[in-house]
Amino acid sequence: MSICLNWRLFLAESNTKRVIIVGIPGVGKTTVISRATEILRQKGHNTSVVVFGSLMFEESKGMKLKNRDEMRKLSVEEQRRLQEKVASRIATIRDDFVIIDTHLLINTDEGYYPGIPMHLLETIKPSNIIMIAADPQEVLNRRKQDESRKRDILPEIEVQNELNISKVLIACCSVVSGSPFLTIMNNNNEIDKAALTVANVLSGDTGAI
C-alpha cells in the first residue's frame, strides 16, 4: 500500500503521466496509439510515444540480432537486463503524457514472460494501464496481412488464450502498481473510436466518450 501511495505522490509532483498501452500482436495497438497521440497533441498536450521493443533492440547492439522479433529468442535473463535499461530511460522523460507502447507477455523458448514485470512497474511508475484488444479472428487476419514483421501465425484458440492471459496480467499489473486499467476493443472500422477513447480517458474528458 505504501508503494502505491509513494508512486501517486511522485506522479503528482512530476506532472507527467506515464501510460502503458499493451496488446498482443495484431490488435492494432500501434495504430490506435498513433491516432490517440494526434488527438492529445491537438488538445495542447505535450505527448511522446516510446516503443519499448524498439528501445530494447537499440540496447541489444552487440548481440548481432537481425530484427526485433529475434529478441524473443534471447534468454529470460538477457531480456530482463534489456528491459531494465529501457525502463530507466523512460523514467527520465518529462512530457505531459509519455505513452509506452509494449506487450504484456512475450512468447519465449522458456514459456510466456511478462512484458512489464514488477521491477519495471516500480521504475516506470505508470499512471494508467490500457489494453487494446480485438476479436481473435481479426487478430489472425491482421497478422497474416502484416508483411513488415515476422508474426507468429497461431490457431485461433491460441490467440484467444493469449487474450485471456493478457486480461489476467493487466489486472495483476494494476494491483501491483495501484494504477487503473482499462480494456478497449479495436475491431474492424473502429480505430478512430478506440483512439478517441484512449485520448479522452487520459485527458480527463470522459464525458466525451
Side-chain angles (χ1 to χ4, degrees):
M1 183 66 69
S2 61
I3 292 177
C4 296
L5 177 60
N6 289 339
W7 287 12
R8 291 298 174 186
L9 289 174
F10 174 88
L11 291 168
E13 291 173 358
S14 68
N15 293 320
T16 295
K17 282 191 174 183
R18 295 190 184 88
V19 184
I20 295 176
I21 300 185
V22 297
I24 66 173
V27 296
K29 167 176 53 67
T30 300
T31 302
V32 171
I33 288 174
S34 177
R35 297 195 184 185
T37 299
E38 290 178 8
I39 296 171
L40 288 169
R41 288 172 177 168
Q42 289 170 1
K43 291 184 177 185
H45 299 292
N46 189 12
T47 306
S48 60
V49 177
V50 290
V51 181
F52 206 96
S54 295
L55 291 185
M56 282 183 65
F57 188 54
E58 286 182 18
E59 294 289 346
S60 71
K61 290 179 179 177
M63 295 183 177
K64 298 181 179 179
L65 301 178
K66 296 178 181 178
N67 53 58
R68 275 182 51 186
D69 297 295
E70 288 191 356
M71 289 191 297
R72 291 186 287 108
K73 303 302 180 182
L74 296 174
S75 68
V76 168
E77 181 180 351
E78 289 175 318
Q79 292 197 45
R80 180 186 175 95
R81 181 175 58 81
L82 292 174
Q83 285 179 328
E84 290 174 344
K85 287 185 176 182
V86 171
S88 296
R89 288 174 61 177
I90 292 173
T92 65
I93 304 174
R94 290 290 184 270
D95 290 337
D96 296 338
F97 294 105
V98 180
I99 296 177
I100 300 106
D101 178 347
T102 190
H103 295 290
L104 264 177
L105 54 89
I106 303 165
N107 192 358
T108 74
D109 291 339
E110 298 177 52
Y112 286 119
Y113 178 68
I116 43 174
M118 184 174 176
H119 64 97
L120 293 192
L121 292 170
E122 291 175 341
T123 301
I124 295 174
K125 300 177 176 62
S127 61
N128 301 77
I129 305 174
I130 297 174
M131 183 172 81
I132 307 299
D135 293 334
Q137 189 57 55
E138 292 188 19
V139 171
L140 274 177
N141 291 338
R142 292 170 187 170
R143 288 183 181 182
K144 292 175 182 178
Q145 295 169 7
D146 186 0
E147 298 180 353
S148 65
R149 299 285 301 277
K150 293 183 178 180
R151 302 293 195 188
D152 292 330
I153 307 302
L154 305 173
E156 185 174 337
I157 190 171
E158 291 297 327
V159 174
Q160 183 64 64
N161 188 45
E162 288 185 359
L163 289 167
N164 291 340
I165 294 173
S166 296
K167 291 176 182 178
V168 174
L169 287 177
I170 193 173
C172 292
C173 290
S174 176
V175 171
V176 170
S177 65
S179 306
F181 77 92
L182 179 67
T183 299
I184 297 174
M185 296 299 292
N186 177 37
N187 290 320
N188 285 344
N189 304 315
E190 293 185 349
I191 290 178
D192 290 335
K193 178 182 177 182
L196 184 60
T197 301
V198 171
N200 287 341
V201 167
L202 299 185
S203 62
D205 297 333
T206 53
I209 297 176

mmCIF file of all heavy atoms in Angstrom, residues 5 13 52 57 87 138 163 183 203 205:
data_model
loop_
_atom_site.group_PDB
_atom_site.id
_atom_site.type_symbol
_atom_site.label_atom_id
_atom_site.label_comp_id
_atom_site.label_asym_id
_atom_site.label_seq_id
_atom_site.Cartn_x
_atom_site.Cartn_y
_atom_site.Cartn_z
ATOM 1 N N LEU A 5 1.098 4.451 -2.743
ATOM 2 C CA LEU A 5 0.936 5.827 -2.304
ATOM 3 C C LEU A 5 2.127 6.665 -2.736
ATOM 4 O O LEU A 5 1.984 7.778 -3.232
ATOM 5 C CB LEU A 5 0.788 5.871 -0.772
ATOM 6 C CG LEU A 5 0.679 7.255 -0.135
ATOM 7 C CD1 LEU A 5 -0.537 7.992 -0.690
ATOM 8 C CD2 LEU A 5 0.583 7.150 1.385
ATOM 9 N N GLU A 13 3.898 15.193 -8.231
ATOM 10 C CA GLU A 13 4.975 16.177 -8.219
ATOM 11 C C GLU A 13 5.573 16.387 -9.604
ATOM 12 O O GLU A 13 5.980 17.482 -9.966
ATOM 13 C CB GLU A 13 6.072 15.699 -7.254
ATOM 14 C CG GLU A 13 5.631 15.731 -5.784
ATOM 15 C CD GLU A 13 6.669 15.086 -4.879
ATOM 16 O OE1 GLU A 13 7.682 14.604 -5.410
ATOM 17 O OE2 GLU A 13 6.456 15.065 -3.659
ATOM 18 N N PHE A 52 8.663 0.279 -26.588
ATOM 19 C CA PHE A 52 9.564 -0.439 -25.689
ATOM 20 C C PHE A 52 10.455 -1.424 -26.450
ATOM 21 O O PHE A 52 11.665 -1.502 -26.214
ATOM 22 C CB PHE A 52 8.746 -1.188 -24.627
ATOM 23 C CG PHE A 52 9.503 -1.436 -23.352
ATOM 24 C CD1 PHE A 52 9.383 -0.581 -22.283
ATOM 25 C CD2 PHE A 52 10.334 -2.540 -23.234
ATOM 26 C CE1 PHE A 52 10.093 -0.812 -21.103
ATOM 27 C CE2 PHE A 52 11.042 -2.780 -22.070
ATOM 28 C CZ PHE A 52 10.923 -1.911 -20.992
ATOM 29 N N PHE A 57 15.729 -3.134 -28.688
ATOM 30 C CA PHE A 57 16.562 -3.516 -29.834
ATOM 31 C C PHE A 57 17.791 -2.614 -29.921
ATOM 32 O O PHE A 57 18.896 -3.071 -30.223
ATOM 33 C CB PHE A 57 15.738 -3.449 -31.116
ATOM 34 C CG PHE A 57 16.432 -3.996 -32.324
ATOM 35 C CD1 PHE A 57 16.959 -5.277 -32.323
ATOM 36 C CD2 PHE A 57 16.563 -3.234 -33.473
ATOM 37 C CE1 PHE A 57 17.604 -5.799 -33.437
ATOM 38 C CE2 PHE A 57 17.204 -3.735 -34.595
ATOM 39 C CZ PHE A 57 17.724 -5.022 -34.580
ATOM 40 N N ALA A 87 13.551 0.779 -19.204
ATOM 41 C CA ALA A 87 12.676 1.376 -18.190
ATOM 42 C C ALA A 87 13.339 2.582 -17.537
ATOM 43 O O ALA A 87 12.677 3.601 -17.273
ATOM 44 C CB ALA A 87 12.310 0.333 -17.143
ATOM 45 N N GLU A 138 -10.014 -11.531 -36.129
ATOM 46 C CA GLU A 138 -9.486 -10.287 -36.691
ATOM 47 C C GLU A 138 -7.988 -10.171 -36.402
ATOM 48 O O GLU A 138 -7.222 -9.687 -37.236
ATOM 49 C CB GLU A 138 -10.247 -9.090 -36.128
ATOM 50 C CG GLU A 138 -11.695 -9.023 -36.593
ATOM 51 C CD GLU A 138 -12.372 -7.730 -36.188
ATOM 52 O OE1 GLU A 138 -11.662 -6.760 -35.877
ATOM 53 O OE2 GLU A 138 -13.606 -7.694 -36.179
ATOM 54 N N LEU A 163 -5.129 -13.697 -25.388
ATOM 55 C CA LEU A 163 -6.001 -12.615 -24.928
ATOM 56 C C LEU A 163 -6.446 -12.862 -23.486
ATOM 57 O O LEU A 163 -6.492 -11.928 -22.668
ATOM 58 C CB LEU A 163 -7.215 -12.484 -25.841
ATOM 59 C CG LEU A 163 -6.950 -11.924 -27.245
ATOM 60 C CD1 LEU A 163 -8.165 -12.142 -28.142
ATOM 61 C CD2 LEU A 163 -6.612 -10.440 -27.178
ATOM 62 N N THR A 183 -9.678 -1.915 -20.662
ATOM 63 C CA THR A 183 -9.571 -2.667 -21.907
ATOM 64 C C THR A 183 -10.429 -1.992 -22.971
ATOM 65 O O THR A 183 -11.604 -1.719 -22.732
ATOM 66 C CB THR A 183 -10.033 -4.127 -21.728
ATOM 67 O OG1 THR A 183 -9.195 -4.767 -20.757
ATOM 68 C CG2 THR A 183 -9.941 -4.886 -23.044
ATOM 69 N N SER A 203 -6.898 12.433 -20.936
ATOM 70 C CA SER A 203 -7.033 13.881 -20.738
ATOM 71 C C SER A 203 -8.130 14.248 -19.769
ATOM 72 O O SER A 203 -8.318 15.428 -19.442
ATOM 73 C CB SER A 203 -7.274 14.580 -22.084
ATOM 74 O OG SER A 203 -8.495 14.120 -22.656
ATOM 75 N N ASP A 205 -11.374 13.793 -20.305
ATOM 76 C CA ASP A 205 -12.629 14.147 -20.974
ATOM 77 C C ASP A 205 -13.529 12.915 -21.100
ATOM 78 O O ASP A 205 -13.985 12.558 -22.188
ATOM 79 C CB ASP A 205 -12.347 14.714 -22.372
ATOM 80 C CG ASP A 205 -11.556 16.007 -22.301
ATOM 81 O OD1 ASP A 205 -11.668 16.698 -21.278
ATOM 82 O OD2 ASP A 205 -10.838 16.306 -23.265
#
